[in-house]
Amino acid sequence: GASSCTRPWPAMKPTIRPRWRHRLLSKTASFWWATKSTELIRSISRRQVPFVLVDNDALDLHVNCVVNEDQAAAQRMVRHLIDLGHRRIAFLGGPAEHASLTQRYRGYLQALAEAGLDVDRDLVAFCSPRFRIDDGQRAAHELLTRARLRPTALFAANDGLAIGAVRAAQALGLDVPGDLSVAGFDDIEAARLITPPLTTVRVFKFEMGVEAGMRLIHIMRGTVNKPLKLVLPTEIVYRESTAKP
């Protein structure tokens, strides 16, 4: 069987010994990759190469993985927008095959449902196959111009899309957050450098790497009895891109 657990914060930051570092580099594979390629995962499993997936939930394939609490964090962020008074909240997402992005969309839907708000399909857009700043800008421009009633807030599944949405809004002469509040996910460096600084969900990538590395060591030592999905906490960072409508 397989199991899931949530790691309490703060996570440990152990040092990997040199002899284990050599074995990690030469005999293992660790992916920081959100796309769930079932064929690739099964191929590696058949080769019996110890590996851990990072930011990719594949516990159903009996594979060790380290992920964020994507759905719960997205739900909290959208709930924050609702608490500010927003009722028309748009969503900008990425390809459905990216597991973490799908979880963030589910969190958006869950928050709306809990608040008794209907999903307006005119306010939902997905970027595929890329989901970078320029993709977000194009998608947000189309969304903002096609909607019969413009949204007062927008939640994007990552910061690149959110930054693109800010650019699109500003190009249309909209004030952020005066006319449109924008929130993202990941807390990349650019999130605090744009104008206005972006409200977002912070993920702890260093700790994800540490946990994945330690899990690899346990697998190689033979002390792992069954696959584990380790879920790490996140943190909402409130900045100047969100406000009351």
Side-chain angles (χ1 to χ4, degrees), residues 113-189:
E114 287 184 350
L117 301 175
D118 295 329
V119 179
D120 185 341
R121 296 300 171 183
D122 285 342
L123 301 185
V124 177
F126 297 92
C127 298
S128 182
R130 300 192 320 159
F131 44 101
R132 303 174 186 172
I133 292 175
D134 56 339
D135 305 302
Q137 184 169 354
R138 284 191 296 268
H141 181 274
E142 181 180 349
L143 186 153
L144 292 170
T145 54
R146 80 181 179 207
R148 291 174 287 106
L149 291 174
R150 197 176 64 222
T152 61
L154 182 148
F155 170 56
N158 71 10
D159 286 344
L161 294 175
I163 292 170
V166 171
R167 290 182 177 179
Q170 292 172 339
L172 290 170
L174 301 177
D175 177 70
V176 178
D179 298 313
L180 180 72
S181 286
V182 178
F185 204 113
D186 287 332
D187 195 28
I188 64 175
E189 184 176 2

Side-chain angles (χ1 to χ4, degrees), residues 34-137:
T35 301
K36 185 173 180 179
S37 174
T38 301
E39 181 180 352
L40 176 61
I41 292 171
R42 286 178 174 164
S43 174
I44 296 174
S45 296
R46 284 194 298 269
R47 295 170 183 267
Q48 296 185 331
V49 176
F51 71 103
V52 176
L53 296 180
V54 182
D55 197 24
N56 186 340
D57 185 351
L59 190 63
D60 57 329
L61 298 177
H62 303 286
V63 172
N64 288 276
C65 49
V66 180
V67 299
N68 295 301
E69 47 169 8
D70 290 295
Q71 182 169 336
Q75 182 183 358
R76 288 197 301 272
M77 179 60 83
V78 176
R79 189 183 300 137
H80 165 63
L81 296 173
I82 293 171
D83 289 343
L84 286 174
H86 296 282
R87 295 296 179 266
R88 292 185 56 74
I89 304 171
F91 177 82
L92 206 54
E97 62 266 24
H98 285 253
S100 61
L101 302 184
T102 299
Q103 291 294 319
R104 294 169 194 182
Y105 178 51
R106 290 175 181 170
Y108 162 79
L109 296 176
Q110 188 173 0
L112 293 186
E114 287 184 350
L117 301 175
D118 295 329
V119 179
D120 185 341
R121 296 300 171 183
D122 285 342
L123 301 185
V124 177
F126 297 92
C127 298
S128 182
R130 300 192 320 159
F131 44 101
R132 303 174 186 172
I133 292 175
D134 56 339
D135 305 302
Q137 184 169 354

